[in-house]
Amino acid sequence: MCRTGRTGRRLHLAPAVLTFALIAPVPGAAADRAAVYGAQPEIRMLTISPDGATAAWRKTTAETDAIIVYSLADKRPLGGVSLDGAVNPSRLQWATNDKLILVMSEHGRLAGFIGKYDVSSAWVYDPGTSRIKPLLVPGETVYRGQTGLGNVVGVSPDGKYAYMPAFFGDGLGTGPRYSLMRISLANPIRPRLSFTGKPRSADYLLDADGKALVHEYFDDNGERHVIAARRGKEWKEIYALDSRLPEIAMVGLTRDYGAVVVSRYDEDSRRRSYYTMSLDDGEITGRLFGRDDADVGSVLTDI
């Protein structure tokens, strides 16, 4: 037998005697191992309502896949909804004491666009109605060619509306802007524009009234990272850096709405640490969280 190598020379292989050892597979062994290592816990995504009276979790068994809502005070189920493979939540969070948000993420297609994308979305579940509804749908009010629609950044004081950033506009002219939308939690069929963003807006933080308080964006050329805070009807830059890549990331607001919690790389520890940035002048002070021998895995915040 002969083969032609990369150089074009003929490579001659001497004949060999091959011996095979045949091992009979154990029926179902591979499938059993895959089932053991790939199986999800029966109870997962446990989350507690803001008032601490109600718990919700996802229950997955061989027979069912459902969201369960349970009264901790009365020790009894309050409701539940079967997912039936229609939706596959990766996270649960309470918007109010009686409205549960299901955040989905899946790899799929967008109608009218080539290729596949990681698409996230948010759905609301009301135990009183036993129905789940999408909060934002691409092409219905918001721009259809977007993937990240699973981010709820705030809820109105009366608990009736959720606020979510999304690209809004028809894509013509300057293109859609990453704006702030207001969606009814009871009937999320007509989202409304709450705040018009910039072409390169990145994120928002809301005040106690559900209004945009902090706006993060890049300039039109994408070369300047800016964080601005609202002062009445005006906006003031409290942080700016000439860079295409951000050096700090917004995490949330302090309880008194006086500062932003931000994370950034710590040159001394060579790890990411967390600080406060004043909404008055942008001064970054203190190291709230951070260790020299470990990284922060995650930060717990309310919605």
Side-chain angles (χ1 to χ4, degrees):
M1 181 172 64
C2 63
R3 294 178 182 172
T4 302
R6 290 184 179 179
T7 60
R9 293 180 299 174
R10 309 238 340 147
L11 304 179
H12 297 277
L13 304 180
V17 177
L18 303 180
T19 302
F20 296 91
L22 301 179
I23 301 175
V26 178
D32 290 344
R33 288 195 296 271
V36 170
Y37 287 102
Q40 295 283 2
E42 182 175 313
I43 303 294
R44 53 197 170 108
M45 303 182 191
L46 176 67
T47 182
I48 308 297
S49 62
D51 62 3
T54 311
W57 60 81
R58 182 175 182 178
K59 183 175 182 178
T60 306
T61 67
E63 295 78 24
T64 185
D65 186 7
I67 300 298
I68 306 298
V69 178
Y70 187 84
S71 171
L72 297 174
D74 300 331
K75 295 182 173 56
R76 65 179 181 87
L78 293 178
V81 60
S82 175
L83 299 177
D84 289 331
V87 293
N88 183 26
S90 58
R91 180 163 52 92
L92 305 178
Q93 62 181 146
W94 290 94
T96 64
N97 291 321
D98 60 354
K99 296 290 190 301
L100 183 68
I101 302 295
L102 289 69
V103 180
M104 323 287 179
S105 182
E106 60 182 355
H107 192 68
R109 297 184 182 277
L110 287 172
F113 292 84
I114 299 174
K116 290 187 175 182
Y117 308 87
D118 290 325
V119 181
S120 67
S121 59
W123 299 56
V124 61
Y125 169 57
D126 184 345
T129 63
S130 296
R131 295 178 59 190
I132 54 175
K133 305 175 184 178
L135 289 177
L136 282 178
V137 177
E140 297 181 6
T141 304
V142 298
Y143 181 62
R144 64 190 180 97
Q146 58 184 304
T147 58
L149 293 177
N151 186 20
V152 180
V153 298
V155 176
S156 62
D158 58 10
K160 293 182 178 181
Y161 300 95
Y163 294 89
M164 302 174 65
F167 285 99
F168 179 81
D170 56 12
L172 302 177
T174 59
R177 295 174 176 244
Y178 196 59
S179 302
L180 198 60
M181 308 300 296
R182 188 184 77 162
I183 308 100
S184 169
L185 290 170
N187 192 23
I189 60 172
R190 292 186 179 87
R192 294 287 185 264
L193 181 65
S194 175
F195 178 85
T196 302
K198 295 178 177 291
R200 296 180 183 268
S201 292
D203 201 2
Y204 299 93
L205 296 175
L206 276 58
D207 63 14
D209 296 324
K211 297 180 180 179
L213 179 62
V214 182
H215 182 194
E216 179 187 16
Y217 59 90
F218 284 84
D219 66 7
D220 291 348
N221 296 320
E223 297 180 348
R224 186 168 180 262
H225 181 215
V226 178
I227 296 178
R230 178 170 50 82
R231 295 284 182 273
K233 294 183 179 181
E234 304 295 328
W235 287 86
K236 174 186 176 183
E237 289 187 8
I238 60 173
Y239 172 88
L241 177 70
D242 291 332
S243 174
R244 287 182 173 270
L245 297 175
E247 290 189 0
I248 66 173
M250 297 198 309
V251 179
L253 289 164
T254 55
R255 185 174 294 274
D256 62 1
Y257 297 93
V260 181
V261 177
V262 298
S263 67
R264 70 178 181 184
Y265 181 75
D266 189 332
E267 294 287 350
D268 295 330
S269 66
R270 296 185 178 181
R271 299 180 185 275
R272 202 156 189 86
S273 298
Y274 294 78
Y275 306 83
T276 54
M277 181 171 67
S278 170
L279 288 182
D280 291 328
D281 55 15
E283 182 182 6
I284 298 177
T285 57
R287 188 169 75 158
L288 293 178
F289 313 106
R291 282 170 45 174
D292 296 337
D293 61 341
D295 290 310
V296 176
S298 62
V299 177
L300 301 181
T301 65
D302 60 18
I303 202 167

